[in-house]
Amino acid sequence: MTKGCQLKLRTCRYNEDFFQDGEIGGYCDLNKQALLAEGEHKSPLQSWFAELQTYSQLNFHPIKDGRCDLIIEKPVYFVKLDAGVNMYHHFCDFVNLYITQHINNSFSMDVNVVMWDTSPFGYGDLFSDTWKAFTSYEIIHLKTYDYKRVCFKDAIFSLLPRMRYGLFYNTPLIAGCSSTGLLKAFSQHVLHRLNITQEETKVGKIRITLLARSTTYRKILNQDELVNAMKTMFNFDVRVVDYKYREMGFLDQLQVTHNTDIFIGMHGAGLTHLLFLPDWAVIFELYNCEDYRCYMDLARLRGVHYMTWERESKVFPQDKGHHPTVGDHPKFTNYSFDVEEFMRLVLLAAEKVVQHPKWPYKQKHDEL
């Protein structure tokens, strides 16, 4: 049913003329005019129109008439995936699959997920453990069905990661809107399915996790100085982590994140971990590198308090940045931070934590 694409054409991952007339269809009453009217906007990660534009009404029943090389009995979710090496973009996939399950009114794990990818190339997925929240089986690549006529008894085309006015990505937020129940439910769903739990901790201790970077850019040049300053506070339990997938599996990363009260990190996809912070936690984007809305909006959607650096005179870039094509760029350099100003913000974050009505130790803290 599928066809290969030329090895030199990496752009064929979402080939828009993949199916020709007569190659995809079903035994149904099809309103072809209504289908074609959906073609005003098509884009690989925003629309399924390219894949379904040649869908045709069959005058025979493929399964009953024995026209199938392979019959898939289990319900199938078709997905087109964003970048699997970037947590922010890949979780656009997972959130929209979760919303699709809501629409379908089924959270069964006895389903197959088929990655719609018309290229012969593999898909790098650093967060593959997350699929265990959605299916009991391995993800199936579309090329598994190469050169077969495949009949699906129950197929769902998932909401896509970069839809216009979508959810998570391209979400038009209204001023003052925050704490959507949908994102909180997604967080709880994933944590429950992956068995990520809250651990016992010392009463009144505020657990701070600083996310270090081993990448070329956006490193904290005086990181040790900032960490040592936090460790002078008796009620802070400070941990420095570097979420390298080769050294710490994603489930272990989630366990650390979910047991964090203040999560600190430079602008970058790792801040997507804020989705799995406890409700009372604070996400402190140490410096947003002039990308003001990305993680602030995500924190608003999830319903955790967001902070970032406030005083430009107290942050010190290494240089103007070295973007490979556009030149000077704040995301392509490293930074030092004024320690006193850093501690002022961390103490504000700590106050937000202990004042939150859901903080487990609020009553004991108030008594003290």
Side-chain angles (χ1 to χ4, degrees):
M1 190 174 184
T2 71
K3 298 172 291 189
C5 65
Q6 298 175 27
L7 290 175
K8 64 180 181 179
L9 296 177
R10 291 186 179 271
T11 55
C12 66
R13 189 173 291 279
Y14 301 116
N15 194 337
E16 292 195 355
D17 59 355
F18 185 65
F19 284 125
Q20 305 303 313
D21 288 337
E23 292 185 334
I24 181 170
Y27 185 66
C28 62
D29 293 324
L30 175 66
N31 186 333
K32 190 69 174 181
Q33 189 173 11
L35 173 61
L36 295 178
E38 296 294 321
E40 293 182 5
H41 173 79
K42 66 176 182 178
S43 180
L45 295 179
Q46 295 184 344
S47 167
W48 283 103
F49 182 77
E51 290 76 17
L52 297 176
Q53 61 187 331
T54 59
Y55 192 94
S56 59
Q57 178 178 322
L58 304 179
N59 58 9
F60 60 90
H61 195 295
I63 295 176
K64 290 181 178 178
D65 294 349
R67 303 285 190 96
C68 311
D69 298 325
L70 181 63
I71 299 173
I72 307 300
E73 301 281 348
K74 294 184 187 302
V76 170
Y77 287 91
F78 287 109
V79 296
K80 288 192 290 186
L81 302 179
D82 209 326
V85 296
N86 181 293
M87 186 176 178
Y88 180 84
H89 288 291
H90 200 11
F91 269 77
C92 296
D93 302 317
F94 294 124
V95 167
N96 280 284
L97 177 56
Y98 176 72
I99 298 168
T100 303
Q101 289 182 315
H102 265 289
I103 294 170
N104 194 46
N105 196 29
S106 173
F107 294 90
S108 171
M109 299 279 284
D110 190 23
V111 298
N112 287 323
V113 176
V114 175
M115 181 175 64
W116 194 288
D117 183 341
T118 55
S119 80
F121 306 107
Y123 176 79
D125 192 343
L126 303 187
F127 310 96
S128 57
D129 283 326
T130 313
W131 292 113
K132 298 172 186 175
F134 299 96
T135 176
S136 299
Y137 311 104
E138 293 294 319
I139 304 306
I140 299 170
H141 194 291
L142 191 64
K143 64 187 175 184
T144 303
Y145 303 128
D146 269 357
Y147 307 109
K148 296 181 180 70
R149 180 177 287 131
V150 185
C151 296
F152 299 91
K153 286 191 171 182
D154 190 353
I156 303 136
F157 289 82
S158 177
L159 297 178
L160 292 168
R162 298 202 186 194
M163 296 182 299
R164 290 186 300 175
Y165 307 113
L167 293 165
F168 186 107
Y169 193 94
N170 287 334
T171 303
L173 288 183
I174 299 170
C177 174
S178 64
S179 305
T180 167
L182 181 63
L183 263 292
K184 181 176 179 179
F186 168 78
S187 174
Q188 292 173 330
H189 177 78
V190 171
L191 293 170
H192 172 71
R193 285 277 175 91
L194 300 182
N195 196 30
I196 305 299
T197 59
Q198 275 289 320
E199 301 167 355
E200 290 292 329
T201 187
K202 296 177 182 177
V203 174
K205 284 283 188 179
I206 296 174
R207 302 164 297 179
I208 300 178
T209 298
L210 187 144
L211 181 61
R213 291 177 64 89
S214 54
T215 54
T216 303
Y217 302 115
R218 280 173 274 154
K219 291 179 181 176
I220 305 169
L221 296 175
N222 62 332
Q223 178 175 294
D224 290 344
E225 195 177 3
L226 302 184
V227 171
N228 289 335
M230 289 190 290
K231 286 183 175 179
T232 63
M233 305 299 295
F234 75 94
N235 60 328
F236 287 178
D237 186 358
V238 181
R239 177 183 346 206
V240 178
V241 298
D242 187 344
Y243 284 163
K244 296 179 184 177
Y245 72 96
R246 288 192 176 94
E247 297 179 8
M248 181 183 290
F250 184 57
L251 297 185
D252 291 330
Q253 295 177 25
L254 287 182
Q255 188 67 29
V256 171
T257 300
H258 190 52
N259 285 277
T260 294
D261 303 314
I262 302 174
F263 193 92
I264 304 172
M266 290 290 290
H267 177 86
L271 295 187
T272 309
H273 273 272
L274 71 85
L275 290 171
F276 304 105
L277 290 170
D279 291 345
W280 58 83
V282 171
I283 176 73
F284 179 11
E285 183 175 19
L286 186 54
Y287 194 61
N288 58 36
C289 302
E290 299 180 16
D291 190 344
Y292 304 105
R293 303 211 62 88
C294 182
Y295 296 103
M296 178 175 69
D297 285 352
L298 191 59
R300 283 176 60 192
L301 286 167
R302 167 59 186 88
V304 294
H305 186 74
Y306 171 88
M307 297 176 61
T308 191
W309 197 260
E310 296 177 355
R311 297 175 181 172
E312 287 289 329
S313 63
K314 294 182 179 293
V315 57
F316 311 104
Q318 190 174 34
D319 49 40
K320 293 182 179 180
H322 308 282
H323 189 281
T325 57
V326 302
D328 296 352
H329 198 293
K331 291 185 181 180
F332 290 80
T333 188
N334 302 305
Y335 293 87
S336 297
F337 297 88
D338 180 88
V339 178
E340 185 176 345
E341 174 65 7
F342 171 76
M343 286 303 297
R344 182 184 74 84
L345 293 170
V346 172
L347 290 170
L348 285 175
E351 196 60 28
K352 285 288 184 182
V353 169
V354 300
Q355 289 178 353
H356 197 285
K358 290 188 178 180
W359 191 51
Y361 307 109
K362 180 172 176 57
Q363 184 176 354
K364 290 186 173 61
H365 176 81
D366 290 345
E367 290 173 353
L368 291 173

